[in-house]
Amino acid sequence: MNGRDGTPFAITLGVGSSLANKTGSWRTERPVYRNALPPCNDACPAGENIQGWLYEAEGGDYEAAWRLLVADNPFPAIMGRVCYHPCQAACNRAHLDEAVGINAVERFLGDAALQAGWELPAPLPDTGRSVLIVGAGPSGLSAAHHLRRAGHRVVIREAGPLPGGMMRFGIPAYRLPRDVLDAEVGRLLGSGIELHLDDRVDDLMAASRGFDATFLAVGAHIGRRAYIPAGESAHILDAVGVLRDTADDQPPLLGRRVVVYGGGNTAMDAARTAKRLGAEEAIVVYRRTRDRMPAHDSEVAEALEEGVIMRWLSTIRHVDEGSMVVERMELDADGFPRPTGETEELAADSLVLALGQDVDLSLLDGVPDLEVVDGVVTVDDRMMTGHAGVFAGGDMVPSERTVTVAVGHGKQAARTIDAWLRGEEYRHAARPALADVTSLNTWYYTDAPASVRPTLDLVRRISTFDEVTLGLDEDTAVFEARRCLSCGNCFHCDNCFGVCPDNAVRKFAEGSGAGDNGRDYAFDLDYCKGCGLCVAECPSGAIDLVPEQI
Amino acid sequence: MTERLRFYQTGSFAVRNRLLPVVDASVQSDPGRANAITSGHRACQGCGEALGARYALDAAMRASGGRMVAVNATGCLEVFSTPYPETSWQIPWMHSLFGNAAAVASGVAAALRVTGRDDVRVVAQAGDGGTVDIGLGPLSGMFERNDDVLFICYDNEAYMNTGVQRSGATPPAARTMTTPAVGPHPGAPFGQGKDLPRIAMAHEIPYVATATVADLRDLEDKVTTAMSIRGARYLHVLVPCPLGWGSASRDTVRVARLATESGLFPVFEAHDGEVTSVTPIRRRVPVEDYLRIQKRYAHLFGEPPATGVIAHIQATADRNIRRYRIEEAPV
């Protein structure tokens, strides 16, 4: 029963769709997809895209996760054991329950890669440029990895008998098993890097002839001595030497009671190593309090678990055969330790000094324009020294002395050197805004407590150099990865597509990148009224609301 | 009720979980969803009702295989979606009067039955005014006759379309145009109003449920359950109204979430007059968290704050939690 013009009964105008009404004109603010910087990525000294590789691991694509990881850091299995994971200290999940166990997942991926034999990406075609790297520690190897991938010829000259630097001669095997170290270093060197062992560089200017750039990463291997009055037969060693000789299978004789002097990670490693070498007592003497110890909490905790005894607020006054005199300290109003004059005698067979390490800078003699301050080489924020074409990183430049920082230096230096070799100046990419916890809608994340890494029995810990902290099995590792909040980055939850009252979000196939800014979603600004619901309900804070230009 | 999935990042809280099989995906995550009400409608920014209607009807469309008629009472939903001669509805849809949606839907269902097309399902929808006040007579009749209709009430707690007048669903102390924030007892009075889900349950119809726009999976599951049942069914959906409630347009889902997390809006389902499941409160909040972000309660937070009134509202939430045993519900 239609009208003469075909319209339905009792209607004079044809039925039109509301799509004719472009409600986008109401908008005063518009939503924009963004990528904010997750706090883990922000905190990572090696510049890893942690949120990115966790995203891949969540879905079970471990190889994709590992590939993303090694684009920044060629040592996941090593990192998963020795990194002090500042990422976890920054993790937003700590505001919900506990930080994501990033380090454990990294180790899982690293071990999975070694087991499966995944290879690092092949180098780009040869550029004809060559770079000399002095030192095969974490920094030198990291730089070598990135420079070789970019297609440059890389020659490493290492003074020691084996590659690895402090990873081999400073970190005990119970934290980093040698088979893991050898496997990851070997895989890296397999990409056509020339390594010369037992090949100390004494004169840099001579050595760098014929190379287009030089990267220095000789580390800090000289144990710092302090003047302590000592009897003739006092048994005093330095911690770096103890660790190096132990790694070399020539453990020093320390006796039954060992005193370690110092409060850093090396002091903890030395005391724990002494225990494993048969010392009945290992006593750490440190002049300040625990909270002022430079050693990382986990190391102190593990040392205490293993029965290492701590004497805080103490200094050593005099050393003799079989005993030493220790003075009690107290903190003054400014928190500095000062002597009290109260002393006591401590029976001990040996004293291990762990008072820090110095850099052997003798190879730099005759290099012009190089600045050395407090025993370390000055570099700019792109790792170049004052001498053009000479770069430096790792423990020999001013910074925190950890493997991860060294790896980060190597990567940064490689980028700068790569630009330098092309006659360009490296510029840091703009850092996106930090995705802090207030930008998230944490309602959407399920409650999931952190998983715990198993550890070796205490008895076996203190009697062998077997690895202390064990890995996660696959189920637990995936669970842990899925605790990630994906801060600041889209993880395809469809909330924006779902919560729009105006149906103004378009969804494309996952991974197609067909939407806005390479996303899989796009805002239909013809209809978006700018209410901001998608922004408020985006779990990961990956949408911004920006004012319209009206 | 939605079974909560744990340990999959967002479980079933978000619209989709890429880590779960497609069969577990929500209707709203489907790019091919019906979009029963499409773009270009004239609802305010952040309208909870436009959102709730799409959530509910898209789920009903999937459950009915696209064979469905919707009957609409007068109200915001009808006004903003169908300014003549345009319509936002992409489904068979009809509107008659403010108060007769239930009666019209009963008639549609009867007509389909006598013409042998009772595979086509009927959904009626109205706001709280058209449901608890003006349309209550026809609705009660539809319940009593157990007509084969799913009636959905989108409850935004006042007559919003005509300028925010109090309805039988307006909560105590809320400011509306007809219950202004003046005098010794500002806002809507205590002790009045109608609890329609309980009225519906008293009819002992096969299925009664409540839901909100803050819990999509729960809402979709309830629509799907309702569509699997024949006879009179009632779904009461809380849909915050930025205009009438004085909340930010971006906070529509958040307000609804706080309504349930405070206990002020119990989320449950009932079969044949008996409560059979209750959605647990995940992170309980005081009612103040819910009230503070709405300007309709601003008069409660002046100098000095109306602590007595706030305590009274808190007591209502506490009673809901007791009445529906919400704290005993399995999380």
Side-chain angles (χ1 to χ4, degrees):
Chain A
M1 209 186 287
N2 291 344
R4 264 176 300 181
D5 59 352
T7 52
F9 169 71
I11 286 183
T12 50
L13 294 171
V15 178
S17 166
S18 65
L19 291 174
N21 185 29
K22 302 285 173 67
T23 51
S25 62
W26 304 11
R27 199 174 53 244
T28 57
E29 291 176 297
R30 77 163 65 183
V32 177
Y33 289 111
R34 67 165 187 165
N35 291 300
L37 185 63
C40 50
N41 293 11
D42 182 50
C44 180
E48 290 181 23
N49 181 3
I50 295 166
Q51 176 274 329
W53 58 255
L54 281 173
Y55 176 86
E56 298 293 352
E58 284 156 21
D61 193 342
Y62 308 129
E63 185 169 350
W66 179 81
R67 296 214 168 275
L68 202 53
L69 209 174
V70 296
D72 293 304
N73 188 333
F75 300 130
I78 295 173
M79 287 300 131
R81 289 172 168 82
V82 305
C83 181
Y84 294 111
H85 42 74
C87 50
Q88 294 182 207
C91 176
N92 278 335
R93 176 110 207 173
H95 296 275
L96 275 69
D97 38 42
E98 291 165 84
V100 176
I102 297 166
N103 188 245
V105 180
E106 183 167 29
R107 169 170 168 174
F108 169 78
L109 293 173
D111 289 355
L114 292 177
Q115 209 163 25
W118 295 331
E119 289 295 332
L120 294 170
L124 295 176
D126 283 344
T127 60
R129 303 284 185 162
S130 60
V131 182
L132 171 68
I133 294 177
V134 185
S139 200
L141 290 171
S142 164
H145 166 68
H146 292 287
L147 288 166
R148 184 70 200 106
R149 272 183 61 200
H152 306 301
R153 177 176 167 244
V154 177
V155 176
I156 307 179
R157 294 180 61 181
E158 162 62 45
L162 287 166
M166 276 296 183
M167 296 192 290
R168 184 181 301 276
F169 297 109
I171 297 176
Y174 59 83
R175 281 177 58 208
L176 177 56
R178 295 306 177 239
D179 56 339
V180 174
L181 174 66
D182 290 338
E184 287 210 323
V185 171
R187 182 179 62 203
L188 185 153
L189 293 170
S191 61
I193 293 165
E194 295 169 40
L195 172 67
H196 303 283
L197 296 170
D198 291 318
D199 186 16
R200 174 183 295 275
V201 172
D202 295 313
D203 177 352
L204 184 68
M205 292 318 285
S208 60
R209 237 166 262 138
F211 291 95
D212 298 298
T214 308
F215 179 56
L216 300 173
V218 300
H221 292 267
I222 306 171
R224 204 171 285 158
R225 308 293 293 214
Y227 176 70
I228 300 170
E232 271 181 26
S233 46
H235 190 33
I236 302 177
L237 304 93
D238 74 85
V240 195
V242 169
L243 295 173
R244 181 169 47 229
D245 292 346
T246 307
D248 242 358
D249 275 338
Q250 293 170 326
L253 294 170
L254 296 170
R256 283 171 45 224
R257 279 169 67 93
V258 180
V259 169
V260 177
Y261 195 21
N265 291 321
T266 308
M268 298 304 123
D269 286 342
R272 297 173 70 186
T273 295
K275 274 279 202 186
R276 284 165 172 78
L277 292 176
E280 283 167 25
E281 278 186 33
I283 304 160
V284 170
V285 173
Y286 177 57
R287 63 198 182 103
R288 301 190 199 208
T289 48
R290 174 173 180 173
D291 54 312
R292 286 171 181 272
M293 268 185 152
H296 284 93
D297 268 350
S298 57
E299 288 246 33
V300 180
E302 286 178 13
L304 287 168
E305 278 166 24
E306 290 170 9
V308 171
I309 298 162
M310 306 282 176
R311 288 190 63 128
W312 287 291
L313 286 172
S314 303
T315 54
I316 294 170
R317 279 280 158 261
H318 191 270
V319 191
D320 263 318
E321 184 177 6
S323 78
M324 57 192 68
V325 177
V326 172
E327 179 174 8
R328 198 175 68 76
M329 307 290 279
E330 62 184 11
L331 294 184
D332 66 13
D334 297 325
F336 284 102
R338 67 176 176 211
T340 59
E342 294 170 37
T343 57
E344 72 180 280
E345 196 161 300
L346 193 64
D349 299 311
S350 59
L351 172 66
V352 178
L353 299 177
L355 302 167
Q357 290 103 255
D358 289 324
V359 183
D360 181 353
L361 294 169
S362 56
L363 81 162
L364 299 178
D365 291 346
V367 182
D369 305 324
L370 212 66
E371 189 184 57
V372 175
V373 178
D374 294 334
V376 284
V377 177
T378 306
V379 287
D380 63 16
D381 64 342
R382 291 163 299 179
M383 313 312 293
M384 184 148 91
T385 67
H387 186 93
V390 174
F391 303 78
D395 288 355
M396 68 181 297
V397 305
S399 72
E400 199 191 350
R401 288 176 171 175
T402 69
V403 175
T404 321
V405 167
V407 166
H409 285 175
K411 174 177 135 183
Q412 179 57 57
R415 287 183 173 179
T416 314
I417 292 168
D418 184 56
W420 162 268
L421 294 178
R422 283 184 277 107
E424 295 163 14
E425 190 177 348
Y426 178 79
R427 288 186 197 284
H428 292 286
R431 272 173 110 73
L434 189 68
D436 65 36
V437 72
T438 59
S439 67
L440 310 180
N441 187 335
T442 57
W443 169 263
Y444 289 99
Y445 301 104
T446 49
D447 310 301
S451 35
V452 177
R453 280 204 258 193
T455 49
L456 195 66
D457 281 350
L458 204 54
V459 177
R460 289 188 58 205
R461 267 166 72 173
I462 54 179
S463 56
T464 70
F465 279 85
D466 289 353
E467 189 167 20
V468 169
T469 308
L470 309 175
L472 299 178
D473 61 27
E474 180 182 340
D475 285 351
T476 321
V478 172
F479 168 86
E480 200 53 38
R482 287 174 175 176
R483 295 181 65 242
C484 173
L485 309 180
S486 205
C487 305
N489 290 276
C490 176
F491 61 102
H492 301 99
C493 76
D494 274 3
N495 264 15
C496 52
F497 180 60
V499 301
C500 177
D502 293 288
N503 188 30
V505 179
R506 304 281 163 260
K507 176 183 166 181
F508 301 92
E510 188 174 338
S512 69
D516 295 346
N517 310 335
R519 291 298 184 82
D520 301 333
Y521 306 93
F523 292 112
D524 187 340
L525 295 175
D526 278 350
Y527 300 106
C528 168
K529 293 170 184 163
C531 69
L533 253 178
C534 54
V535 180
E537 298 306 318
C538 176
S540 61
I543 309 175
D544 240 349
L545 202 57
V546 300
E548 285 288 355
Q549 303 298 316
I550 302 170
Chain B
M1 197 183 79
T2 306
E3 193 178 327
R4 293 291 177 206
L5 288 152
R6 291 161 175 267
F7 307 153
Y8 281 88
Q9 196 165 51
T10 55
S12 51
F13 290 116
V15 171
R16 186 177 77 115
N17 190 327
R18 71 183 179 100
L19 303 172
L20 294 172
V22 177
V23 286
D24 296 325
S26 68
V27 176
Q28 284 305 308
S29 70
D30 180 2
R33 68 191 184 199
N35 270 327
I37 174 167
T38 192
S39 313
H41 61 69
R42 288 152 162 81
C44 305
Q45 291 160 320
C47 175
E49 190 171 34
L51 185 60
R54 196 186 74 226
Y55 280 0
L57 291 189
D58 284 3
M61 281 292 280
R62 178 184 279 189
S64 65
R67 299 180 66 75
M68 191 180 96
V69 178
V71 174
N72 216 123
T74 305
C76 272
L77 184 60
E78 170 261 322
V79 169
F80 73 62
S81 64
T82 52
Y84 182 71
E86 288 168 9
T87 179
S88 304
W89 298 100
Q90 309 204 91
I91 56 172
W93 181 91
M94 72 182 288
H95 166 239
S96 175
L97 301 176
F98 209 150
N100 70 354
V104 171
S106 292
V108 172
L112 289 168
R113 191 175 66 249
V114 299
T115 53
R117 288 185 290 167
D118 54 6
D119 58 317
V120 178
R121 310 299 301 274
V122 183
V123 174
Q125 48 183 0
D128 50 294
T131 305
V132 313
D133 295 339
I134 302 173
L136 185 56
L139 181 60
S140 179
M142 186 203 104
F143 287 162
E144 191 198 14
R145 294 186 302 273
N146 198 25
D147 290 328
D148 188 18
V149 174
L150 167 61
F151 193 99
I152 305 174
C153 170
Y154 303 110
D155 180 6
N156 57 19
E157 303 189 331
Y159 291 86
M160 300 310 186
N161 158 49
T162 47
V164 195
Q165 292 85 10
R166 179 196 171 274
S167 81
T170 301
R175 179 202 66 193
T176 67
M177 209 167 109
T178 47
T179 56
V182 293
H185 302 290
F190 279 86
Q192 295 183 17
K194 309 173 194 179
D195 184 345
L196 212 85
R198 295 178 71 225
I199 293 172
M201 282 164 63
H203 288 76
E204 306 218 331
I205 56 174
Y207 187 72
V208 173
T210 64
T212 78
V213 288
D215 195 344
L216 169 69
R217 300 299 187 97
D218 179 76
L219 195 164
E220 288 187 349
D221 278 4
K222 283 167 175 166
V223 171
T224 307
T225 303
M227 294 300 283
S228 72
I229 297 169
R230 292 278 178 173
R233 291 142 288 147
Y234 179 72
L235 179 64
H236 192 98
V237 186
L238 185 70
V239 291
C241 170
L243 173 79
W245 296 15
S247 52
S249 61
R250 66 184 327 206
D251 280 344
T252 295
V253 171
R254 177 177 171 220
V255 179
R257 188 180 298 132
L258 290 170
T260 58
E261 293 298 289
S262 65
L264 273 178
F265 187 84
V267 180
F268 64 92
E269 60 184 351
H271 288 85
D272 304 314
E274 265 185 273
V275 174
T276 48
S277 82
V278 178
T279 302
I281 289 175
R282 194 166 163 226
R283 296 175 191 156
R284 193 169 171 190
V285 296
V287 292
E288 197 177 321
D289 287 13
Y290 167 71
L291 303 173
R292 264 194 189 277
I293 58 172
Q294 303 177 54
K295 289 202 186 75
R296 64 176 172 159
Y297 295 112
H299 54 278
L300 302 181
F301 300 101
E303 271 306 322
T307 45
V309 179
I310 296 166
H312 201 158
I313 297 171
Q314 183 64 54
T316 309
D318 296 345
R319 189 188 58 182
N320 283 338
I321 289 167
R322 276 198 311 278
R323 175 180 279 160
Y324 293 98
R325 301 173 186 275
I326 294 177
E327 280 184 323
E328 295 163 34
V331 177

